[in-house]
Amino acid sequence: MAITKLNSLAIPANTVVAADLSYPLTNFSSTGIDDNADATALTISSSEYVGIGTAPIVPLDVVAKTGAHAITMRARSNNDYAFFSMRSYDGTEDLGDIAIQRTAADTGRMLLYTNNGGAATTKLTIEPNGDIKANSGNIVIGTSGKGIDFGATSDGSGSDTSELLDDYEEGTWTPTLTNGVNSISYGSRTGHYTKVGNLVFLDFYIYYAGTGSGAQYLISGLPYAQKNANYCRGGGCSTYQNYGGKVVTFYGNQGTSYIFCYKDGSTSFTSSGTVGNYMIGTFTYQTD
Amino acid sequence: MSLEEKTEEDKIEVVGQFKHVQVRTATIILKDGKEISRSFHRRVIDPGADTSSESAEVKGICAAVHTETVVNAYKAHLEANKPGE
């Protein structure tokens, strides 16, 4: 359709140096836009959505064409950053950013920023070599049973059953002598544990008084039940104990929450008469 | 500035063939209502153990999982796994 009427045309003198205007516009250039497309590249829909390479279905919709890259952001200068910024509705708050920093030729570091009051700061960095650094804050495993998978390392000589590190915890427990001493009272007793994966390391300190019953000492109150598997017993020994002049060895019982006390290898550790003694030691075992 | 300490059973787990109930008690320190410290204490409740001093939640879980069958199986397990002299 030919243009038959122009309501207004006000182009200041010398603004347009060269122009080729026809309808529809197939080619034009201006100070800010240079259109050399030979097909539709940019679409603005009736919903005011903008599509690049596609009819848009969201406010800004970009589809990759011959290459996989749909959007490229460049640093403003060498060894500088390219930022993708996400802000609050009114645009005044910089809530989060993704940045790439060029550190050398063909070398880039990715940084993730979040805002915890004030300005967004780097929280996570992926170094050019793939190392991941939590700049501040912890790495939190949000799903029980998930963790760090070391499956890429097949360096054990035994039979691997798991290469997933899925737990770590520190805390306290209350060691209790549930056998071997009658009318027991405690001057003090405390225990600490550290659990890494399915391995639990305990230390404990018991100062007790009572009357030895002649029965084998049991220490109960473990923070986790022991693994219920045949021949899985754990082990440990006293580091200080002052009854009978013997080192006490600790022997676990699969599928329970207590350990047996021995002396001289396989002789039950017992006491008799009035006792008031220390039982201090360590014990290591596995859990299910 | 206000400091407050509170405890809660923040993790209750039922584990293994004998349904041991593992209870973790967290001691939480709050400063002006914001948590600044959390430490843990753990214990295990064996099948058949006395739960009268436990919280209602733990009692309920123990009652549900420590059935007569489980308690008897655990007793048999202890008997079978007594270490010799």
Side-chain angles (χ1 to χ4, degrees), chain A residues 169-174 193 222-225 228 233 253-258 260 262 266 268, chain B residues 11 13 15-18 20 22 24 40-44 46 74 77-78 81-85:
Chain A
E169 189 175 310
E170 305 169 11
T172 60
W173 61 290
T174 304
Y193 67 84
L222 270 57
Y224 299 88
N228 187 20
R233 300 290 188 175
N253 195 1
Q254 65 189 59
T256 73
S257 60
Y258 61 83
F260 294 95
Y262 285 91
S266 59
S268 295
Chain B
K11 191 175 280 190
E13 304 152 315
V15 299
Q17 176 186 354
F18 302 113
H20 286 95
Q22 298 181 164
R24 186 174 80 176
F40 303 121
H41 184 90
R42 274 189 176 270
R43 66 189 190 283
V44 177
D46 298 324
Y74 186 60
H77 171 77
L78 296 181
N81 285 282
K82 275 184 178 174
E85 280 293 307

Side-chain angles (χ1 to χ4, degrees), chain A residues 261-285:
Chain A
C261 299
Y262 285 91
K263 64 182 179 180
D264 298 329
S266 59
T267 303
S268 295
F269 180 77
T270 63
S271 65
S272 61
T274 302
V275 289
N277 299 288
Y278 295 94
M279 180 68 81
I280 303 170
T282 63
F283 185 71
T284 304
Y285 65 104

Side-chain angles (χ1 to χ4, degrees), chain A residues 49-97:
Chain A
Y49 291 174
V50 176
I52 299 176
T54 185
I57 57 174
V58 292
L60 177 61
D61 200 350
V62 183
V63 173
K65 287 294 186 182
T66 53
H69 296 169
I71 298 175
T72 295
M73 288 184 290
R74 299 191 191 189
R76 59 191 166 188
S77 63
N78 272 345
N79 301 331
D80 201 345
Y81 298 84
F83 270 87
F84 178 74
S85 177
M86 287 154 279
R87 308 184 75 87
S88 58
Y89 176 71
D90 66 4
T92 61
E93 300 167 19
D94 182 9
L95 301 178
D97 304 274

